[in-house]
Amino acid sequence: MASETASASQWVSPSSRPQHIEQLISGVDRYNPQNLDVLHDYLAQQLDDGSYDLLANLAILKLYQFNPADFNYVVVINILLKALVAAPLPDFNLCISLLGEAPLPTVPVKAEKEATTTDADNAGSLSGDDDDDEVVEKPKDVASAGHLTDPLIVRLSQLSTLLFQARFREFWSTLASESYSDVRDYAAKISEFENAARRVALNSVKGSFTSISEKRIANYLNLSGSQLAEFINAQDGWKLADGTVSVPANPDNEIKATVIREEISLDQMHKFLAQAQSPLLRA
């Protein structure tokens, strides 16, 4: 419980957040478009040092929502990449939800009017009564992130889904595929991006295992050999030895026997049996 409280506190107010950013996003100044440059600089700092501040990044997207002329595509992609490796938190979807007014391609909608065939309907149409005709909207079957169809954002959404579903091997193979070269180009400019994705895998393993084979976790982390050993041993409480990784004990992976004892007194039993008797027996 204490760890969950600390995690929530970091989510709301990370320790890396400067005081001037804290003041900015805690008041009405977060709606002032003149503060975009300050928030952009803070995002650049996050990209450089590996820190992460969701609420500050959401403030940028909210300003874009209110001021579409200030929209910056590269900034949005960087924000989505940072949110992507915050899984299993819902940060990525929160960011997507604020892009509803963004100048981005969306799922096309085709309006179709049902044809009328009867003479009466034709007469009604001629007399100007066709305003009551039903309009049926049919979204086109295209890949999308929410309602957005921007190809790069759709690919980021697919990666986010893989991480959220703990499909780590598929995440790494998808990221390495030729069609995701643009994602890799953006991610290469973000400090600790891949290690942040690896920490998502470690958190998932930590909640499910007390130990795991070196081969299996190597696939989850997309590391091998000395790189794997160095990364594992750098984690607090983790240890790689003899082909097995020991996972530190935590409330999620501790195996505890649970004994449930129900005590009932003789008087309580008497009352229970008396209430359970049929009316005939009580008579």
Side-chain angles (χ1 to χ4, degrees):
M1 181 64 71
S3 62
E4 292 178 359
T5 302
S7 178
S9 176
Q10 278 292 104
W11 190 84
V12 173
S13 182
S15 57
S16 58
R17 179 187 294 165
Q19 184 60 34
H20 71 284
I21 297 294
E22 178 72 37
Q23 293 175 350
L24 192 157
I25 66 174
S26 298
V28 296
D29 281 342
R30 67 181 182 272
Y31 298 113
N32 185 348
Q34 294 181 356
N35 290 320
L36 262 176
D37 288 341
V38 177
L39 292 170
H40 284 165
D41 290 342
Y42 182 44
L43 174 62
Q45 176 184 325
Q46 296 175 54
L47 302 181
D48 290 339
D49 63 17
S51 60
Y52 177 57
D53 191 336
L54 172 68
L55 297 189
N57 297 342
L58 289 178
I60 295 176
L61 299 182
K62 177 62 71 173
L63 284 170
Y64 288 168
Q65 194 176 41
F66 291 152
N67 307 275
D70 294 324
F71 183 84
N72 187 316
Y73 182 78
V74 174
V75 168
V76 168
I77 296 302
N78 285 330
I79 289 175
L80 291 176
L81 280 167
K82 293 292 288 184
L84 188 155
V85 290
L89 296 173
D91 297 14
F92 187 87
N93 288 336
L94 286 174
C95 293
I96 289 292
S97 69
L98 287 180
L99 295 175
E101 306 298 325
L104 293 167
T106 59
V107 175
V109 176
K110 180 173 65 176
E112 296 180 351
K113 288 188 177 182
E114 294 183 352
T116 56
T117 56
T118 64
D119 292 339
D121 289 339
N122 289 334
S125 178
L126 291 174
S127 63
D129 293 337
D130 58 342
D131 291 340
D132 295 332
D133 288 347
E134 182 181 1
V135 176
V136 181
E137 294 185 348
K138 296 181 180 179
K140 193 175 180 180
D141 185 17
V142 294
S144 64
H147 69 288
L148 301 175
T149 59
D150 178 81
L152 178 53
I153 292 179
V154 169
R155 286 192 282 276
L156 293 180
S157 178
Q158 291 167 345
L159 288 174
S160 175
T161 299
L162 293 176
L163 270 188
F164 190 82
Q165 296 176 347
R167 294 157 62 186
F168 304 119
R169 280 176 283 200
E170 191 173 347
F171 169 83
W172 293 113
S173 62
T174 301
L175 180 61
S177 64
E178 183 178 352
S179 59
Y180 280 69
S181 60
D182 51 353
V183 176
R184 294 195 300 275
D185 290 341
Y186 277 100
K189 301 173 184 177
I190 299 178
S191 175
E192 292 292 305
F193 175 81
E194 290 191 351
N195 282 343
R198 292 183 178 108
R199 282 190 286 272
V200 174
L202 286 183
N203 286 333
S204 181
V205 169
K206 187 170 65 173
S208 308
F209 296 86
T210 56
S211 64
I212 185 172
S213 70
E214 178 180 355
K215 181 179 179 180
R216 187 172 186 178
I217 201 168
N219 289 327
Y220 290 171
L221 302 180
N222 196 37
L223 291 172
S224 60
S226 60
Q227 289 183 326
L228 175 64
E230 181 180 354
F231 184 80
I232 290 295
N233 293 326
Q235 311 304 313
D236 188 26
W238 294 70
K239 185 178 180 181
L240 171 59
D242 300 325
T244 301
V245 175
S246 300
V247 181
N250 62 83
D252 293 324
N253 72 352
E254 283 186 308
I255 302 174
K256 293 182 178 180
T258 303
V259 178
I260 300 176
R261 297 180 59 185
E262 295 184 2
E263 296 182 0
I264 184 169
S265 66
L266 186 60
D267 289 340
Q268 291 173 323
M269 179 64 73
H270 176 73
K271 292 178 181 178
F272 173 76
L273 293 175
Q275 292 174 354
Q277 286 179 340
S278 67
L280 291 177
L281 291 176
R282 287 201 297 268

